[in-house]
Each structure stands twice: as C-alpha cells, then as structure tokens.
Amino acid sequence: MGLVIQKNANGYEYASLRESYWDPVRKKYSSRTIKNYGRLDLLLKADPHAREKMQAEAKAYEASKRKSKENALKANLDRPLPTTILSETSKYDDSRCACLGVCVLRKIWEKFGLDRQKIIQDSSENTAFDFKAAVFHAVAMRILMHKASAARWLKQSSFLYGACDLTEQDLTVATGIIGKQKAAMIPHLATVLDADVSRLQDACENEDAVGCLAFVLLIELSRTLTKKGIRLPLSDVVEALSSAVLIEIANPNGTSLYCKTGTEDTFQKVAAVFEIGKLPTLTDADTLRSILGSDAL
C-alpha cells in the first residue's frame, strides 16, 4: 500500500506507512500499519520536503520487503521441500501458489546469460517496469502454461524472479518489444546454443521472439537431462515442471508441493539434475512461511 494519507473527523490529515498482507485463513488481503508519521501539516511545517521523504521511505520499504521474500524462497529451494500428492486440486484454484518448474528454466536462463543479451539490456532501459523479468516470465509462461492467461501465470509465479512486481500489461508490452528484435536475436541465440544460425532460423521460422527464446531453453533442458542419462520425452518433462506447484492451503497442514499424479517421479529427477528443491521422499506438508520466510504473507 505504501504511504497513506487519511483525514480524521476534525479535518486533520495524518500520514502513515501501511502494507497489505494475505490472510490464508480468510483468503483475502488485509492491511496493517507499519509506521505512523503524525499530522501532515505539522510534518510539512517542520520540513517542507517531509512528504517526499516519506514517499521515498515507503518505496524503499516495499522494495526491501519484495527482495526479502524472493531471497527467502531462493535460499530455501536447495533444502528438502515438503511434498504431498493432492487428489482434488480444483478446490485449491483460488489459493496462492508458486510453480517450481520456473526455477529449472531460470537456471538455464542464467547459464546462458540471457539477461545480459544486448537487445534485452537496451530495451530494459526504456521501460518503467522490470523488462528483463517480464521477458523471462513471458518465455517461461510460453513453455509451462502456454494456454493460460498472464494473470494466472503471475499468480502461479508468486515470489519468483520479480513476478510480484509485474502486471499482465507488462508481459504484453515486453512481448511486443522483444518481438521486433527476433532477427537480431537469432545469431546470439545460435552462439549460446552452439548451433548453426541458418538451422536455428529455420527451426524458429514460425515462432516469434518469445518462442525462439523458449525453443533455446527447451533444447538446453533436453541436452542437460540427456547428459545425465535421463532420457524422457520432452513433453513429459514439461508437464512435470508445470505440475510441480507449491500450493498454500488454509488448514493445519500449511502448504503442499503438489505434483500431478504420475509426474512426481519425473519432477524429482529433473529437480535433482538442476539442484532445485531436493525431494527424496514424500513427507508431510509444512507451512508456507517455513519455505518462503516468516514474512512471506
């Protein structure tokens, strides 16, 4: 929520720093006060720049909180995660969750240094949102949930790689911007993939720029698994990655890692290769806070 100015019954305006948080039991957002600044007129009388300073403090607090959430998840992904196979997932459609398959794609994305690609870097300087994060999520969505809406994807990616700062419009704008750079992008992608430029052009002839990036990630995913002796149909791997979801459940058991029945073994194999959430056994579910950090909600 940030800086909030409210007028009381006497007509005085009071400033405070407030935040919204998710109540998993009531399944709705609530708000709470982090800091009370006091009467706005008195604050401005003492310091004409008080409003700007409070706004800056509010922005810094929000940025710090988002970063803490993301870091908490990344730090905990390398330890065993609680896993439960849920039989009726449809009743959890409104629950907040995080698709762990994104983490595997992110490993490849960072390996290839795609955020540092000149085309993406140059474009990121001309957007008000995190363009690099938006491009990555557009690509990940194309691979894991190509039939889903951007809104559903961002909900599935809560706390992961800047998703909480993005909107549906950001993904649409990023896709449009990067789409104009397809021809210039192909040579670089061929280099990181160690492939022939003309062959990559032919393979991506009917794809847009996001599709080209998705193709490169899928090729490297297949290569990496093959090198480790894991030979599975790529469609099965993608299904397993898209089905491995941390679901927040409002009950005493807290949060479960749901793997669609029949895909849990595949996900564990892929997760082991990419060192994402080592899942040797199916255990009781833990709470979301223990995975994402105590201030996750």
Side-chain angles (χ1 to χ4, degrees):
M1 295 181 65
L3 180 65
V4 175
I5 307 295
Q6 291 180 309
K7 185 178 293 186
N8 68 5
N10 296 322
Y12 292 112
E13 291 184 317
Y14 285 81
S16 62
L17 174 59
R18 295 180 63 80
E19 69 174 358
S20 60
Y21 68 97
W22 179 259
D23 186 330
V25 176
R26 298 168 63 197
K27 286 200 171 185
K28 62 183 292 186
Y29 281 97
S30 297
S31 64
R32 57 192 172 197
T33 300
I34 302 302
K35 182 177 181 179
N36 284 312
Y37 292 104
R39 268 176 53 179
L40 184 60
D41 60 330
L42 297 179
L43 293 170
L44 292 174
K45 184 177 180 180
D47 182 356
H49 302 291
R51 185 190 293 266
E52 289 80 3
K53 291 179 180 179
M54 289 186 292
Q55 289 174 333
E57 183 176 355
K59 289 181 179 180
Y61 175 79
E62 287 295 323
S64 175
K65 183 181 176 183
R66 288 193 297 268
K67 193 65 177 178
S68 295
K69 291 178 181 178
E70 195 167 301
N71 288 341
L73 176 57
K74 291 177 182 178
N76 284 288
L77 281 176
D78 287 333
R79 68 183 179 87
L81 294 176
T83 310
T84 298
I85 304 302
L86 304 179
S87 58
E88 298 180 46
T89 58
S90 59
K91 64 181 180 181
Y92 302 119
D93 284 346
D94 292 331
S95 297
R96 300 201 310 176
C97 49
C99 177
L100 292 187
V102 182
C103 304
V104 172
L105 300 181
R106 186 68 186 188
K107 286 271 188 175
I108 302 173
W109 185 272
E110 293 176 348
K111 173 185 176 181
F112 285 159
L114 294 177
D115 272 353
R116 299 191 299 275
Q117 184 174 308
K118 189 176 186 302
I119 293 171
I120 293 179
Q121 282 189 322
D122 291 347
S123 299
S124 67
E125 296 175 359
N126 301 315
T127 55
F129 58 90
D130 189 338
F131 181 78
K132 296 177 181 178
V135 172
F136 169 72
H137 280 287
V139 174
M141 182 174 73
R142 182 73 60 88
I143 294 173
L144 299 177
M145 291 177 61
H146 66 281
K147 294 182 179 180
S149 66
R152 181 162 179 78
W153 170 258
L154 293 175
K155 179 181 176 182
Q156 288 273 95
S157 306
S158 297
F159 308 111
L160 290 169
Y161 313 115
C164 58
D165 294 326
L166 299 173
T167 65
E168 300 171 61
Q169 182 67 14
D170 294 339
L171 264 63
T172 300
V173 171
T175 299
I177 292 174
I178 203 70
K180 300 175 183 178
Q181 307 292 337
K182 176 183 173 181
M185 186 187 300
I186 291 291
H188 175 76
L189 295 180
T191 299
V192 299
L193 199 57
D194 193 21
D196 180 74
V197 175
S198 60
R199 292 185 65 182
L200 185 57
Q201 287 175 328
D202 292 341
C204 296
E205 182 179 0
N206 298 319
E207 298 286 349
D208 60 5
V210 169
C212 291
L213 287 165
F215 178 77
V216 168
L217 295 189
L218 287 172
I219 290 297
E220 183 60 21
L221 173 61
S222 179
R223 284 181 178 178
T224 303
L225 294 177
T226 299
K227 288 177 182 177
K228 295 293 185 178
I230 300 175
R231 302 181 184 278
L232 296 167
L234 193 55
S235 59
D236 290 354
V237 174
V238 171
E239 182 183 8
L241 294 183
S242 62
S243 299
V245 178
L246 280 174
I247 299 180
E248 175 190 353
I249 303 173
N251 64 28
N253 289 329
T255 296
S256 294
L257 173 64
Y258 163 68
C259 289
K260 188 176 180 180
T261 303
T263 66
E264 57 269 21
D265 289 341
T266 298
F267 175 73
Q268 290 191 34
K269 290 177 182 177
V270 177
V273 170
F274 287 91
E275 299 181 348
I276 300 295
K278 302 176 179 63
L279 306 170
T281 58
L282 301 182
T283 64
D284 292 335
D286 202 350
T287 64
L288 184 64
R289 285 186 177 84
S290 70
I291 298 170
L292 302 181
S294 59
D295 193 35
L297 299 177

